[in-house]
Amino acid sequence: MWIDAHAVLEVDGQRRVAAVRQEWLFDEMFGAYATQGLKRGKRGELPPALLEGMARDWMRSLGEPVSHYFTRVTVQGRPQAFAEPRDARVRWDPRTQRLTLVFTLPLVRPVAPGPDGAQVDIYDPTYFVAYAFDAPGAVAVDGPGARACKADYRKPKELDWKTMQQLAAIPADPDALPAELFAVTKGLTHRIVLRCS
């Protein structure tokens, strides 16, 4: 699965990270799979109630401990806990045949970035979701304290051809990723470092 992603770090008036807002635009193949057999309107639109149900189901699945929204926030090496996600919704574009999931992950307690900044890591530890933050403005800072803060985005390291072939050969539903490949996928993290003056 391929996702064109956007992430917005919400910073409160005390220059603390308060939430991570995300938008995931899924590839066309996933759109075709996820919507097959669903009743559509005259122009190919999907009923709002169906999209609301999708958003609920997907957020429930993403909240499982294995995936945990594919997002981690750490400050000075300490992971920060998320409160219940909010504003989750799914959009369907009948023209492009693509689904978009939008959601906000508030922190239980807003946290100051600290001297080394706050690190926001977005990645799939099982390697089945490939993220791209390639669009202009794909990473941004928003909120009352945003003007005092800056987010630096770091792409994951490039994989060599042999490792890519090994990962591509993994079945779609393995019981567990082989240990040596699981170690490799940890290096495929999209990292955003937020620093505030």
Side-chain angles (χ1 to χ4, degrees):
M1 179 186 307
W2 288 266
I3 291 176
D4 293 321
H6 286 76
V8 178
L9 309 186
E10 294 184 3
V11 179
D12 68 13
Q14 297 174 40
R15 300 175 189 172
R16 300 176 302 179
V17 182
V20 181
R21 227 169 42 226
Q22 296 192 62
E23 183 173 307
W24 297 352
L25 175 61
F26 297 95
D27 64 84
E28 295 89 340
M29 286 188 302
F30 179 76
Y33 168 76
T35 62
Q36 66 183 345
L38 298 179
K39 187 174 181 178
R40 302 177 194 218
K42 292 178 183 175
R43 292 185 290 280
E45 70 274 12
L46 294 173
L50 185 117
L51 295 173
E52 288 168 17
M54 268 187 196
R56 271 193 311 276
D57 293 346
W58 290 358
M59 293 309 295
R60 191 176 305 116
S61 295
L62 286 168
E64 293 293 324
V66 172
S67 55
H68 205 61
Y69 311 106
F70 297 147
T71 306
R72 183 179 63 203
V73 176
T74 55
V75 175
Q76 294 180 335
R78 289 191 301 274
Q80 304 300 307
F82 295 122
E84 283 297 309
R86 65 174 194 254
D87 309 325
R89 63 189 183 281
V90 172
R91 294 191 307 254
W92 166 250
D93 186 336
R95 186 180 49 81
T96 62
Q97 303 287 295
R98 295 180 79 176
L99 289 160
T100 302
L101 173 65
V102 179
F103 61 97
T104 300
L105 294 174
L107 297 181
V108 170
R109 282 183 288 286
V111 61
D116 296 327
Q119 294 181 352
V120 179
D121 293 334
I122 299 170
Y123 68 104
D124 176 7
T126 62
Y127 188 66
F128 293 109
V129 178
Y131 290 94
F133 287 84
D134 297 334
V139 172
V141 183
D142 193 18
R147 294 175 72 181
C149 302
K150 182 181 180 204
D152 292 312
Y153 167 69
R154 300 177 189 169
K155 276 187 160 185
K157 66 179 183 179
E158 295 288 330
L159 293 177
D160 61 82
W161 179 253
K162 180 181 175 189
T163 305
M164 283 192 287
Q165 291 298 318
Q166 288 177 298
L167 289 168
I170 297 170
D173 56 351
D175 292 333
L177 194 65
E180 68 277 7
L181 294 181
F182 188 74
V184 169
T185 64
K186 287 185 178 180
L188 300 177
T189 298
H190 295 266
R191 175 164 289 173
I192 304 163
V193 178
L194 179 80
R195 291 186 173 86
C196 298
S197 59

